[in-house]
Amino acid sequence: MKTFIKTIFKCISNNKSRFISMSLIILVGICFVTGLGGITPKVENSLNEALTTANAPDIILKTRNQLGFTQGEIENLNRIDDIDVEFITSFDQTTDSSLRTISLDFKNNKINKLKLIDGSFPSSEREVCVERNSNTIKERKIGEYITYNNISFKVVGIIENPLIFTMDGDINEIDNSRLDTILYFNKNSNLPLTTAYIKLNSLNNHSYFKNDYIDIVNDNISILSNKLNNENYVYLTLKETKSYAFITEIDDKIDVIAIMFPIFFIAVVALVILTTMTRLISDERKIIGCYKSLGYNNISILGKYIIYATSCAFLGITVGLISGAYILPNIIYNVFKKILFLPKITSKINVTLGIYSAIFMFVAIILVTIYVTWKEIKEKPANLFQAKAPKAGKTILLEKIAFIWSKLSFKYKSCYRNIFRYKGRLAMIVLSVLGSTALVMAGLGLYNIFSKPITINGVAFDMGNSIKYVSVAAIIFALILTILVIYNITNMNISERNREIATLKVLGYKDYEVCSYIFREIIQISIIGVILGIPSGILILYLIMKFLDFGSLSDIKLISYFLTGVLVITFIIIVDLLLIRKIKKVNMNDSLKSLE
């Protein structure tokens, strides 16, 4: 058994290029899936921590009475158990500009705590604070004077309202225009109290972005409305605030992408693992025959290759989970700062989607390994010691089309015969390139789709600078996966054709001619994969759009179809150039060992 264990390490050592490539492919797949699944938790946890610190309200209660809440109504609200209430005065107007005025008690501001980011709070009736500037809210400076109702007020502070965290500011409740100014006054007893911020004590430890949060708040609104029994009240949740609605809409769309894309990523990775393990087992037929001759049972032999495959999986999954938890979520979080006022990034990480994907991939790798290994180990040792006979050449369909076949040069006739002679190799390369191309096409299509604005609660928002970068990340990871997949497939293709390459060299072929001979086949097979991959990518896009309920195939620009093919073929050529050295190193003496 000790010797047998040594052979496992020897197998890893002798096949380290396969081991490394498999681990890297798994790593890239898990890293992308983990990162994509960690984007919305990263944003939502960061915002939740900021909203919790600010003690953001769960319910915003407004009265339709122009005179505001009556004293009796205020007392009734304050008597209700398990809630905290804070009253403010808030008015929107559209005269001259889109303006909101808010009056509150700064000293006792405990719900929806306003954060002073510059200057001081008002200390007199002629002083005012303003909302921080954004894409729509005008920039105001400390010491500047603003005229409101024919009265001049001095700006003494810049305020950060925790309920306004989009760069598009907030919406005027009168005409849905974008507010350009928000003024904050110290509480004035002569002004009616129009709005009540209500904090539900039962939700103190509940995240503002949990799936059931709004449902629980709505249940409490039903209870509260029965207690108050007043038709003049309007009950609002955070979902009715523009910033919260915007971020939840974006997160919902990213979550759809985070669920759909990994399915295809993992499918491509699983296909490559199947190809790699099939080739490894085929190369070790004699070793398996030796094990059986020495008395090792099938389960022990199978265990060796399961250990090899799961070692790759463990290494790739572990590094993929760790890197995925930080790389993509942190990058996208910083990109989100172009459209959102985001707080300090949370230290919390979320690898839930990565773990689910890792479990699925781990199981898939074990099943694939059992499948390809069992086919070999069930054979008799005598058969395993014999190399598999080379596949007999057959007439291909193209040969029957005489007017085409007769005009082809020998090198192309040889190329097409080889392509269709080994149908397994053909299928694996086509499917691998198809999968990679489909992912690139889907990423480019998403980039096009998210260039258009999205309507939330009747208001158009530009979210292009947010989700578009998620699309860019998908394209980059798809191209990285393409490089690894093509490198792995081409590397194996060269390895299994060492005798053929050596024979060509003995026959006088120069290195560049041998390289052309091998790579001509790879590129032509890859072109088939690209041609099939583009419509496959469109199908992926269609499925994503159906779940998103956003965008259409007409949004995809013609350049995206062209660019998909160019990018994939370019990366295939780059990989081929990297493998020229391996072809040059093939020893001509190997041709003498050929059984053909």
Side-chain angles (χ1 to χ4, degrees):
M1 182 57 67
K2 196 172 183 181
T3 304
F4 185 74
I5 292 172
K6 286 181 180 179
T7 65
I8 297 174
F9 290 103
K10 189 71 174 174
C11 179
I12 294 173
S13 175
N14 291 342
N15 298 278
K16 53 181 175 290
S17 61
R18 284 194 185 118
F19 187 90
I20 293 169
S21 64
M22 280 176 60
S23 299
L24 284 174
I25 290 167
I26 295 167
L27 188 159
V28 169
I30 294 297
C31 179
F32 177 71
V33 172
T34 305
L36 202 57
I39 292 172
T40 57
K42 182 67 74 173
V43 173
E44 290 180 352
N45 285 332
S46 299
L47 285 170
N48 181 67
E49 289 171 9
L51 290 172
T52 302
T53 301
N55 201 28
D58 300 307
I59 301 170
I60 301 171
L61 182 64
K62 292 179 177 288
T63 178
R64 293 191 179 96
N65 189 344
Q66 293 184 350
L67 299 176
F69 292 101
T70 65
Q71 188 59 38
E73 290 173 334
I74 293 172
E75 290 174 0
N76 283 341
L77 276 166
N78 283 323
R79 279 198 294 265
I80 296 175
D81 294 331
D82 295 326
I83 68 168
D84 293 323
V85 188
E86 187 171 317
F87 295 91
I88 67 167
T89 303
S90 177
F91 287 111
D92 287 4
Q93 67 177 48
T94 56
T95 307
D96 296 330
S97 65
S98 188
L99 175 74
R100 175 175 295 164
T101 59
I102 296 174
S103 176
L104 74 155
D105 185 353
F106 284 99
K107 291 183 179 178
N108 295 299
N109 177 212
K110 294 180 180 177
I111 300 178
N112 200 48
K113 298 175 188 175
L114 302 178
K115 183 178 179 181
L116 186 70
I117 57 178
D118 194 13
S120 61
F121 289 124
S123 57
S124 70
E125 291 183 355
R126 294 297 180 90
E127 292 181 344
V128 67
C129 284
V130 296
E131 182 67 28
R132 61 186 165 185
N133 70 293
S134 63
N135 294 340
T136 54
I137 295 177
K138 294 179 181 177
E139 182 178 7
R140 309 286 184 172
K141 296 181 179 179
I142 303 294
E144 180 181 344
Y145 284 86
I146 296 176
T147 300
Y148 172 67
N149 282 349
N150 296 322
I151 301 173
S152 184
F153 295 90
K154 182 181 180 181
V155 176
V156 296
I158 310 296
I159 291 290
E160 176 186 313
N161 189 326
L163 294 183
I164 303 174
F165 48 82
T166 71
M167 293 288 188
D168 282 332
D170 208 349
I171 305 300
N172 192 305
E173 294 176 359
I174 298 174
D175 62 359
N176 269 356
S177 62
R178 302 294 173 94
L179 290 169
D180 60 46
T181 305
I182 303 177
L183 304 178
Y184 297 90
F185 297 91
N186 217 341
K187 188 173 182 180
N188 188 324
S189 58
N190 296 324
L191 294 174
L193 298 173
T194 62
T195 304
Y197 287 144
I198 298 175
K199 188 69 186 169
L200 302 170
N201 293 334
S202 60
L203 287 173
N204 280 345
N205 297 317
H206 210 89
S207 171
Y208 290 95
F209 294 95
K210 287 290 184 185
N211 293 333
D212 59 347
Y213 169 75
I214 295 295
D215 293 334
I216 296 172
V217 172
N218 284 328
D219 291 340
N220 279 274
I221 286 175
S222 299
I223 296 169
L224 197 59
S225 61
N226 288 330
K227 287 183 180 179
L228 296 175
N229 192 25
N230 193 319
E231 294 181 357
N232 285 329
Y233 291 162
V234 176
Y235 298 86
L236 303 174
T237 67
L238 288 183
K239 199 168 184 178
E240 279 73 51
T241 63
K242 303 307 174 187
S243 292
Y244 184 94
F246 179 68
I247 196 64
T248 52
E249 185 73 20
I250 287 180
D251 287 351
D252 286 346
K253 296 192 181 312
I254 292 176
D255 284 341
V256 170
I257 298 170
I259 291 171
M260 296 293 289
F261 252 92
I263 295 171
F264 303 102
F265 251 83
I266 291 171
V268 173
V269 172
L271 176 65
V272 177
I273 299 301
L274 171 63
T275 307
T276 308
M277 289 305 300
T278 300
R279 183 60 195 169
L280 172 65
I281 299 303
S282 178
D283 287 348
E284 297 222 336
R285 277 173 58 85
K286 291 182 179 179
I287 295 175
I288 294 171
C290 184
Y291 288 146
K292 297 195 76 170
S293 299
L294 292 172
Y296 288 100
N297 59 40
N298 290 347
I299 299 300
S300 297
I301 300 169
L302 179 63
K304 169 187 173 179
Y305 297 103
I306 289 177
I307 291 171
Y308 178 91
T310 53
S311 297
C312 291
F314 181 77
L315 180 61
I317 287 170
T318 302
V319 180
L321 284 172
I322 295 170
S323 57
Y326 294 98
I327 295 173
L328 196 54
N330 288 9
I331 290 172
I332 300 298
Y333 189 85
N334 287 319
V335 169
F336 268 41
K337 288 182 179 179
K338 295 182 179 181
I339 60 166
L340 298 168
F341 290 109
L342 288 176
K344 182 182 177 182
I345 191 168
T346 182
S347 58
K348 294 179 181 177
I349 60 171
N350 187 298
V351 294
T352 304
L353 186 62
I355 289 173
Y356 284 136
S357 300
I359 292 170
F360 178 82
M361 189 175 288
F362 203 83
V363 171
I365 288 168
I366 291 174
L367 292 176
V368 163
T369 304
I370 292 172
Y371 170 73
V372 299
T373 308
W374 196 258
K375 288 197 303 181
E376 298 291 343
I377 61 176
K378 68 181 181 181
E379 289 193 35
K380 294 179 179 178
N383 293 335
L384 290 169
F385 281 119
Q386 295 176 355
K388 284 186 177 180
K391 195 156 187 176
K394 291 182 181 179
T395 301
I396 63 173
L397 180 62
L398 193 60
E399 290 185 60
K400 296 178 182 180
I401 309 173
F403 71 94
I404 296 177
W405 186 255
S406 61
K407 293 179 181 178
L408 292 176
S409 63
F410 172 78
K411 64 182 180 182
Y412 282 103
K413 288 179 179 178
S414 175
C415 171
Y416 293 131
R417 278 178 177 151
N418 274 337
I419 287 173
F420 294 103
R421 181 186 182 189
Y422 300 100
K423 292 183 177 61
R425 180 200 298 164
L426 170 66
M428 287 302 178
I429 297 176
V430 167
L431 288 173
S432 298
V433 175
L434 183 155
S436 301
T437 304
L439 291 171
V440 175
M441 180 69 235
L444 286 168
L446 280 177
Y447 187 87
N448 295 151
I449 290 167
F450 289 116
S451 295
K452 56 189 284 188
I454 183 171
T455 301
I456 304 172
N457 296 341
V459 181
F461 285 90
D462 177 20
M463 64 175 182
N465 288 330
S466 54
I467 302 186
K468 275 169 67 173
Y469 282 93
V470 176
S471 306
V472 171
I475 295 166
I476 291 170
F477 273 90
L479 287 173
I480 293 172
L481 189 63
T482 300
I483 293 171
L484 292 172
V485 167
I486 297 302
Y487 183 90
N488 189 57
I489 295 289
T490 308
N491 189 38
M492 284 194 298
N493 191 15
I494 294 169
S495 295
E496 69 185 10
R497 299 175 72 177
N498 271 359
R499 291 171 180 168
E500 183 182 351
I501 293 167
T503 302
L504 290 172
K505 288 187 175 186
V506 168
L507 293 173
Y509 278 66
K510 299 187 184 307
D511 284 338
Y512 77 89
E513 290 176 314
V514 177
C515 291
S516 298
Y517 177 84
I518 299 297
F519 295 146
R520 190 181 298 116
E521 293 176 24
I522 299 294
I523 291 173
Q524 295 203 43
I525 295 173
S526 298
I527 289 172
I528 298 172
V530 170
I531 292 170
L532 296 175
I534 290 174
S536 300
I538 295 169
L539 177 61
I540 295 172
L541 266 177
Y542 176 76
L543 293 174
I544 292 174
M545 287 186 295
K546 290 288 286 185
F547 282 96
L548 285 175
D549 194 25
F550 180 78
S552 67
L553 294 178
S554 61
D555 295 323
I556 304 172
K557 296 178 181 177
L558 188 60
I559 187 72
S560 294
Y561 298 95
F562 175 74
L563 193 57
T564 299
V566 170
L567 283 172
V568 175
I569 294 297
T570 300
F571 279 94
I572 289 170
I573 292 172
I574 291 171
V575 169
D576 287 347
L577 292 174
L578 292 174
L579 287 167
I580 286 175
R581 186 182 173 191
K582 180 162 186 174
I583 293 176
K584 287 182 176 180
K585 287 172 68 177
V586 172
N587 192 334
M588 287 189 287
N589 291 329
D590 288 346
S591 66
L592 302 176
K593 303 174 186 176
S594 175
L595 298 178
E596 300 177 28

